[in-house]
Each structure stands twice: as structure tokens, then as C-alpha cells.
Amino acid sequence: MSISGIFPIDKWDFKSESVLADLPPDVLASLTANKTEQVYKKGEIIFREGSYPSGIFYIAEGKVKKYKLDNDGKAHIIYLANTGELLGYHAILSEDRYPDSAAAIEESRIAFIPKSDFLETLEHSDILSRRLLKTLSHEFAVLANSLNMFAQKSVRERLALQLIVLREKYKVNFQAGMPVEINMSRDDLASMVGTAREHVVRVLSEFKEDRILETRGRKIIVLDVNKLIRIADLK
């Protein structure tokens, strides 16, 4: 089922895929004049926190996790980017190093757009400038909501919320009534929820007992998104 109208997905999910959608042909041609594409294997690094950006990345196909490392070298996932989304432009706009790292969470086809092409197109395109500004504002709101959620919600509620968001990202040729398979390791899911792996495994088992979902290996199949919405308790 669609969750439109019953769950505020835009409060929890970035929408950078709208930046390049239906751009005027001349603007898109200028932006992508020198783009290159590369296929990244699952787990392969796209860019590392602290390195200097030489361009931006566009996910032509696949999914990418953005994460930060703590002092112990443990990764904390801050966002899962989907097909159609942009990566790396924040560092270029701020003229700074990458604030986080990015790695493919599944085999992904990624386009690279040189920094010079991005900045030149941005300078001459009001529509691209407005879209990026709108996207940055939305991302700030999503991060603020996420920080509030981590401070106030239980592990059970946070996991329910992340499963709702991931269900939207993993929809492929979706039709009403179809189950949605989330293909993600328990370690990555625990990182997104902000808890230990064993806590995620325990709560997933509880959700299975309640017929909210089922699992097949690492895959999680959401059966009842309405129950997840009630557990997330986002009143």
C-alpha cells in the first residue's frame, strides 16, 4: 500500500532526486558534458570523510550509504541515498572537505560530474540554484527531525521508523498490496537505528511474531506497514 496521507515520509527522507529531474536540456547538457560513469561493487568506497571534493556524484542505479566514523573506527550511517540522488555537492558549495564518507550498499552505477562543470552550470542556471537551495533546506529539516527522534524515541520506535523509510526506498515496480523486500545487513540497520546489532535482531524477532514482517536471510519483507506506523508513534 501507499503511505501517502497516513505517514509524513518527507519529514524523514531527503529528496535530492528532484534536483536534476526535468532540467532544461541546455542546463542538463552543460552539467553532464564531461560526466563519467563507474560501477561500484557492494561495500566499495565512493569518497572518504576529510578528503577534498573534485566533483559531485549522481546515483544512476543503486543505493549508497553515507556514514561517519567514530573515534573507535565504527561506522554510523546517517543516510541511505537512492537511485536518482546527488552526493558530494555539500562539500563543494561550502568549499570544504567531505563531511562524511559514502559507500555502495549494493552494486551501483554512479556518474561523476567534475567540480568545474557543476559550479559553472550552477552560476548560470537560476533553476538549478533554486532547486539546490530548496533541497539543502529540506535536508536540514530532515536531520533536525532525526536528531529529535534519536533523543526521544525507543529502539523499537526508531527501528519501526527506519523500516518505514527503507520500505519506500526499496519499492521497485510497486503495486498496491505487494510486499516490499529490504535487502540490508543487520549491522547496517543497527547503525541507522543507533543501537547494537543484537537489539535490532531482538526487535525484528518481535515484529516477526506480530506478523509485521518476515525475514529471508538478510532480506526483510514488510507485511504490515500500518502496524509499523503505529509503533513509530509520530503524533
Side-chain angles (χ1 to χ4, degrees):
M1 64 170 291
S2 170
I3 62 174
S4 176
I6 62 173
F7 181 81
I9 188 66
D10 286 351
K11 292 179 63 177
W12 307 99
D13 191 19
F14 294 169
K15 292 295 179 184
S16 68
E17 71 271 18
S18 63
V19 174
L20 300 188
D22 301 318
L23 277 177
D26 60 324
V27 176
L28 185 60
S30 172
L31 184 64
T32 60
N34 298 294
K35 78 169 184 178
T36 57
E37 284 194 358
Q38 178 177 337
V39 174
Y40 290 82
K41 296 179 181 178
K42 176 185 172 183
E44 192 171 355
I45 303 295
I46 299 167
F47 57 79
R48 296 184 185 276
E49 179 179 357
S51 60
Y52 285 103
S54 56
I56 65 172
F57 299 86
Y58 171 77
I59 306 174
E61 185 179 3
K63 293 179 178 62
V64 172
K65 62 181 178 182
K66 297 183 68 179
Y67 62 94
K68 294 181 72 71
L69 296 177
D70 63 20
N71 292 334
D72 297 322
K74 183 179 179 180
H76 297 272
I77 299 176
I78 56 178
Y79 182 66
L80 181 66
N82 209 355
T83 299
E85 296 195 52
L86 291 176
L87 302 169
Y89 64 93
H90 305 79
I92 290 179
L93 293 176
S94 64
E95 299 181 344
D96 205 348
R97 301 171 187 245
Y98 287 120
D100 47 34
S101 301
I105 204 167
E106 61 186 33
E107 185 171 279
S108 301
R109 182 165 53 90
I110 312 291
F112 173 78
I113 297 172
K115 176 180 178 180
S116 56
D117 290 349
F118 172 64
L119 290 176
E120 183 175 353
T121 305
L122 186 62
E123 182 179 355
H124 294 95
S125 173
D126 289 338
I127 186 171
L128 183 58
S129 298
R130 289 195 301 269
R131 286 185 180 186
L132 280 174
L133 181 59
K134 182 178 180 180
T135 298
L136 285 168
S137 298
H138 178 246
E139 289 183 4
F140 177 81
V142 169
L143 289 173
N145 290 333
S146 297
L147 287 172
N148 186 57
M149 178 266 294
F150 273 98
Q152 298 186 14
K153 296 292 184 179
S154 67
V155 169
R156 181 180 175 86
E157 291 167 330
R158 298 202 304 268
L159 178 56
L161 173 60
Q162 292 294 357
L163 289 174
I164 294 166
V165 175
L166 288 170
R167 176 182 177 271
E168 293 300 295
K169 292 180 180 292
Y170 276 89
K171 282 182 177 179
V172 178
N173 300 321
F174 180 76
Q175 296 180 4
M178 287 177 57
V180 178
E181 291 188 354
I182 298 168
N183 190 2
M184 176 174 283
S185 72
R186 300 301 181 264
D187 287 329
D188 281 343
L189 187 55
S191 178
M192 293 185 72
V193 173
T195 190
R197 184 183 190 277
E198 54 267 29
H199 293 165
V200 163
V201 171
R202 175 178 55 79
V203 178
L204 285 177
S205 296
E206 294 173 1
F207 287 171
K208 285 176 65 177
E209 292 177 3
D210 293 337
R211 297 296 300 159
I212 296 172
L213 54 81
E214 62 182 44
T215 58
R216 298 172 191 162
R218 59 179 269 156
K219 291 182 179 179
I220 299 169
I221 299 91
V222 176
L223 303 175
D224 194 335
V225 71
N226 280 314
K227 285 185 179 179
L228 287 177
I229 290 172
R230 288 195 292 271
I231 292 170
D233 190 28
L234 297 174
K235 299 176 181 178

